[in-house]
């Protein structure tokens, strides 16, 4: 039992170490020309454009339900007018970044791990090496840059859609005054709220790309291995997103 | 102890391997392997599945780092090489993978032209011309724009072979070139390997357990057993070997020294 615990602990640190090493190597290769623009654009399209629809649906419903819930709570002490404030702050500070991060890790992280994992087990990554091409440069850097640049855009989009969702429910279903709602939305919003949301977006983007690519690179066995790698990529990146989210909030707000 | 100059070890040795060791955990795969491959010859390494043939070939091209030992390519030991030097060295190599290992996200022509695209300044049109020529060399025509998933097993291998020769390598490595193919397609691949050797003057190492193929393509055959090369010789010498292990393997008998006590 104790031996198993020790082994698991060593395994954990080994994996964490490998992820950090991959991150450092990715940074090094990012700054080594040339950049493969075609691959970066392809990945941005994949990470970004194809995620907009799911993020839209997700955000509008989060904004809507949050308005509904906070209205029924605030009503008890006649503070309904602050629904707009709480929806906007919650969306921009936490809900937008975290939920988008989780959604993208499930959608894009899983796909990255599965694609790279399949390439690993079918020797395509070995083939890249034999063609004198570094797999980190060719495969990880474009995914890393795409996630890094697209996540902030996705999260701003998510914030806006969530706020609109809250507005729609408050004004058209709960009969709040439209002007008051808008004013309350903007009155308490500070620039800091937005840029911390963006910092979170970048960090989450990095986590998703690096963790998923790492899992892909270390896939063993056939189809089963690819399945396991995909699951691990989503679980690890989701947990890391939630954990890092707490620390960013604690340090920066 | 001063290291022998590999040029003295074998004056025309293109690839000289000395005391190669590689273990994976408890599993000792290569245990002091020695092998000399002469310039322009086709060396076929035979051995059972799991005997370490693939590990050997992956050590030669730097995909796996050996625990100990030396691999001299053109007189230069590549084992201590770092990434940058390894990649320079790899440009001299072409490798045919067992299942082709074609990049399934890109069409045939981009697969074949991958090395050219990455390492030369050639324009797409020029690359396509070279690709066409290489595909013709492996007997394929009009498949340039197909995706790998649309190809049969034999075609995949030939496209992979075209990719391996696209950069005009000095050394070709074949990982089980005929495994998984029907006998006719296997022979097509064998003929191709011979033709490429004659036409491109490449040195090649093939690993296989297909004896038909080994006899056909080899200038010399080496038998890998228990992590070492136990016998090297021309196909005739191997066929007439006095070694019981070699005889059991080439005749494909289930009874014999290899399987005794297992």
């Amino acid at each position: 039992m104790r031996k198993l615990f020790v082994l698991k602990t060593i395994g954990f640190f080994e994996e964490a170490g490998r992820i950090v090493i991959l991150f450092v190597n990715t940074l090094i290769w990012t700054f080594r020309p040339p950049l493969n623009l075609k691959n970066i654009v392809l990945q941005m399209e994949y990470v970004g454009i194809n995620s907009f629809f799911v993020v839209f649906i997700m955000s509008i419903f989060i904004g809507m339900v949050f308005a509904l819930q906070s209205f029924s709570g605030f009503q008890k002490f006649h503070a309904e007018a602050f629904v707009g404030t709480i929806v906007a702050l919650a969306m921009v500070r936490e809900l937008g970044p975290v939920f988008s991060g989780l959604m993208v890790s499930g959608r894009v992280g899983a796909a990255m791990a599965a694609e790279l994992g399949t390439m690993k087990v079918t020797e395509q990554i070995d083939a890249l090496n034999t063609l004198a091409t570094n797999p980190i440069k060719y495969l990880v850097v474009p995914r890393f840059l795409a996630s890094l640049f697209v996540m902030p855009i996705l999260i701003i989009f998510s914030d806006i859609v969530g706020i609109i969702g809250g507005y729609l429910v408050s004004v058209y279903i709960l009969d709040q005054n439209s002007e008051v709602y808008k004013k309350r939305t903007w009155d308490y919003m500070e620039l800091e709220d937005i840029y911390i949301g963006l910092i979170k977006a970048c960090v989450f983007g990095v986590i998703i790309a690096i963790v998923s690519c790492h899992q892909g690179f270390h896939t063993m066995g056939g189809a089963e291995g690819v399945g396991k790698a995909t699951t691990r990529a989503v679980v690890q990146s989701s947990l890391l997103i939630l954990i890092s989210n707490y620390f960013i909030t604690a340090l920066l707000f | 102890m001063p290291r022998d100059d590999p040029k003295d070890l074998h004056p025309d040795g293109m690839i000289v391997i000395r005391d190669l060791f590689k273990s994976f955990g408890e599993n000792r795969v290569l245990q002091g392997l020695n092998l000399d491959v002469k310039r322009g010859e086709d060396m076929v390494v035979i051995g059972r599945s799991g005997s370490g043939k693939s590990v050997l070939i992956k050590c030669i091209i730097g995909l796996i780092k050996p625990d100990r030992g030396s691999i001299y390519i053109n007189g230069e030991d590549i084992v201590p090489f770092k990434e940058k030097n390894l990649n320079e060295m790899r440009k001299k190599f072409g490798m045919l993978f067992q299942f082709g290992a074609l990049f399934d996200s890109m069409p045939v022509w981009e697969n074949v032209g991958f090395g050219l695209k990455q390492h030369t300044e050639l324009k797409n049109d020029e690359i396509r011309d070279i690709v066409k020529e290489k595909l013709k060399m492996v007997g394929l025509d009009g498949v340039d724009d197909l995706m790998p998933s649309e190809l049969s097993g034999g075609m995949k291998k030939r496209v992979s072979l075209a990719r391996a020769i696209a950069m005009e390598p000095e050394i070709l490595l074949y990982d089980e070139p005929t495994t998984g193919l029907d006998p006719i397609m296997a022979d097509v691949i064998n003929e191709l390997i011979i033709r490429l050797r004659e036409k491109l003057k490449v040195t090649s190492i093939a690993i296989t357990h297909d004896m038909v193929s080994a006899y056909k393509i080899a200038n010399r055959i080496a038998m890998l057993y228990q992590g070492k090369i136990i016998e090297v010789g021309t196909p005739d010498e191997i066929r007439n070997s006095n070694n019981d292990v070699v005889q059991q393997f080439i005749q494909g008998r289930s009874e014999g020294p290899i399987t005794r006590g297992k």
Side-chain angles (χ1 to χ4, degrees):
Chain A
M1 190 60 199
R2 208 172 133 196
K3 199 176 167 197
L4 189 75
F5 177 74
V6 171
L7 278 179
K8 285 262 177 210
T9 312
I10 292 174
F12 171 79
F13 282 108
E14 199 184 312
E15 187 148 12
R18 281 203 312 245
I19 292 174
V20 173
I21 290 171
L22 178 62
F23 176 55
V24 173
N25 277 329
T26 306
L27 281 183
I28 293 172
W29 281 103
T30 302
F31 292 106
R32 244 183 237 179
L35 274 182
N36 188 335
L37 280 179
K38 188 184 144 201
N39 272 8
I40 295 173
V41 172
L42 270 178
Q43 288 300 325
M44 284 176 96
E45 183 187 338
Y46 191 74
V47 178
I49 301 189
N50 299 334
S51 294
F52 270 100
F53 181 69
V54 280
V55 168
F56 174 82
I57 299 289
M58 178 197 84
S59 306
I60 199 153
F61 277 97
I62 291 175
M64 282 160 68
V65 81
F66 205 70
L68 217 50
Q69 284 285 11
S70 45
F71 180 83
S72 69
F74 282 11
Q75 209 177 22
K76 290 177 187 148
F77 33 94
H78 307 293
E80 300 95 321
F82 285 97
V83 169
T85 311
I86 192 80
V87 168
L89 280 184
M91 258 344 271
V92 172
R93 286 183 167 200
E94 298 293 337
L95 299 178
V98 171
F99 275 91
S100 303
L102 294 178
M103 185 62 97
V104 173
S105 90
R107 225 190 72 83
V108 180
M112 284 181 186
E115 188 182 356
L116 267 56
T118 307
M119 290 186 74
K120 172 83 195 301
V121 300
T122 54
E123 296 186 306
Q124 290 178 53
I125 292 186
D126 281 344
L128 270 182
N129 271 317
T130 64
L131 292 162
T133 301
N134 183 288
I136 295 178
K137 173 87 182 163
Y138 189 78
L139 295 172
V140 184
V141 168
R143 287 167 173 77
F144 168 75
L145 289 178
S147 307
L148 186 64
F149 291 130
V150 168
M151 279 303 281
I153 302 173
L154 262 184
I155 281 172
I156 288 191
F157 175 71
S158 162
D159 295 346
I160 294 169
V161 172
I163 289 170
I164 293 173
Y167 172 85
L168 292 177
V169 167
S170 298
V171 172
Y172 293 102
I173 297 178
L174 303 172
D175 275 336
Q176 297 289 294
N177 181 298
S178 161
E179 289 311 312
V180 173
Y181 190 93
K182 279 190 217 160
K183 191 168 161 13
R184 294 285 185 209
T185 298
W186 299 122
D187 272 358
Y188 295 88
M189 180 92 66
E190 285 171 31
L191 203 57
E192 199 189 52
D193 296 321
I194 295 177
Y195 85 70
I196 292 177
L198 294 185
I199 290 177
K200 287 184 176 181
C202 294
V203 172
F204 298 167
V206 170
I207 289 174
I208 292 167
I210 298 295
V211 168
S212 309
C213 290
H214 168 262
Q215 284 301 338
F217 275 169
H218 288 89
T219 303
M220 303 264 243
E224 194 194 352
V226 175
K228 279 185 184 158
T230 309
T231 307
R232 272 203 300 270
V234 176
V235 171
Q236 284 180 356
S237 53
S238 302
L239 290 179
L240 273 177
I241 283 173
L242 293 170
I243 294 167
S244 63
N245 179 56
Y246 173 81
F247 285 103
I248 297 171
T249 305
L251 287 175
L252 295 182
F253 277 112
Chain B
M1 197 176 73
R3 225 175 233 305
D4 300 325
D5 184 352
K7 293 232 160 62
D8 298 336
L9 294 173
H10 211 302
D12 50 7
M14 179 83 178
I15 302 169
V16 176
I17 301 173
R18 285 291 172 269
D19 290 324
L20 205 64
F21 284 85
K22 179 69 194 177
S23 305
F24 296 97
E26 299 285 290
N27 184 12
R28 290 185 296 175
V29 183
L30 302 178
Q31 305 178 47
L33 181 141
N34 294 301
L35 184 66
D36 291 17
V37 183
K38 290 184 226 157
R39 195 175 299 279
E41 83 169 334
D42 196 333
M43 170 67 81
V44 174
V45 179
I46 56 172
R48 300 188 70 195
S49 305
S51 62
K53 302 190 298 290
S54 286
V55 174
L56 171 63
I57 213 168
K58 284 182 177 169
C59 283
I60 295 174
I61 199 167
L63 291 174
I64 294 178
K65 217 170 183 58
D67 299 333
R68 223 155 17 106
S70 313
I71 300 169
Y72 299 95
I73 312 280
N74 277 333
E76 204 174 1
D77 186 4
I78 63 146
V79 173
F81 273 11
K82 295 265 183 295
E83 167 97 18
K84 201 174 163 222
N85 290 335
L86 266 184
N87 274 342
E88 278 312 307
M89 184 274 294
R90 281 172 182 150
K91 288 179 191 166
K92 293 183 202 155
F93 278 85
M95 178 156 174
L96 173 66
F97 285 87
Q98 191 172 352
F99 301 103
L102 295 175
F103 304 124
D104 42 29
S105 59
M106 44 180 98
V108 164
W109 79 269
E110 281 186 43
N111 261 289
V112 177
F114 189 88
L116 296 166
K117 180 101 188 164
Q118 295 292 318
H119 304 298
T120 66
E121 302 288 315
L122 293 173
K123 303 253 179 324
N124 274 353
D125 289 344
E126 298 167 294
I127 291 179
R128 288 194 81 131
D129 287 341
I130 298 174
V131 166
K132 227 176 199 53
E133 175 204 336
K134 303 292 175 193
L135 283 172
K136 204 168 264 167
M137 281 178 87
V138 297
L140 289 172
D141 199 14
V143 296
D144 307 45
D145 291 304
L146 295 179
M147 296 304 280
S149 56
E150 298 172 273
L151 304 175
S152 70
M155 282 161 101
K156 274 186 193 155
K157 276 227 163 129
R158 283 188 283 171
V159 171
S160 185
L161 193 50
R163 182 175 70 183
I165 59 172
M167 297 281 284
E168 304 191 340
E170 294 172 42
I171 303 167
L172 275 172
L173 303 176
Y174 300 96
D175 184 358
E176 308 267 2
T178 55
T179 304
L181 300 177
D182 69 71
I184 297 170
M185 185 49 73
D187 199 54
V188 170
I189 299 285
N190 288 338
E191 292 287 348
L192 265 176
I193 293 174
I194 296 168
R195 209 164 69 217
L196 289 177
R197 181 181 69 220
E198 284 163 0
K199 204 162 173 180
L200 306 173
K201 308 278 177 235
V202 288
T203 306
S204 27
I205 300 181
I207 58 174
T208 189
H209 47 235
D210 172 2
M211 287 315 297
V212 179
S213 166
Y215 287 139
K216 181 149 188 175
I217 63 179
N219 297 117
R220 288 194 301 154
I221 296 177
M223 166 102 190
L224 177 58
Y225 181 65
Q226 292 183 338
K228 288 186 176 125
I229 299 292
I230 55 164
E231 185 134 346
V232 186
T234 63
D236 277 335
E237 285 166 359
I238 290 291
R239 207 176 273 140
N240 301 320
S241 165
N242 296 325
N243 191 322
D244 289 343
V245 172
V246 175
Q247 281 302 333
Q248 185 191 352
F249 183 82
I250 63 177
Q251 292 174 20
R253 282 186 277 116
S254 60
E255 298 286 321
I258 299 178
T259 41
R260 195 163 294 150
K262 283 189 184 169

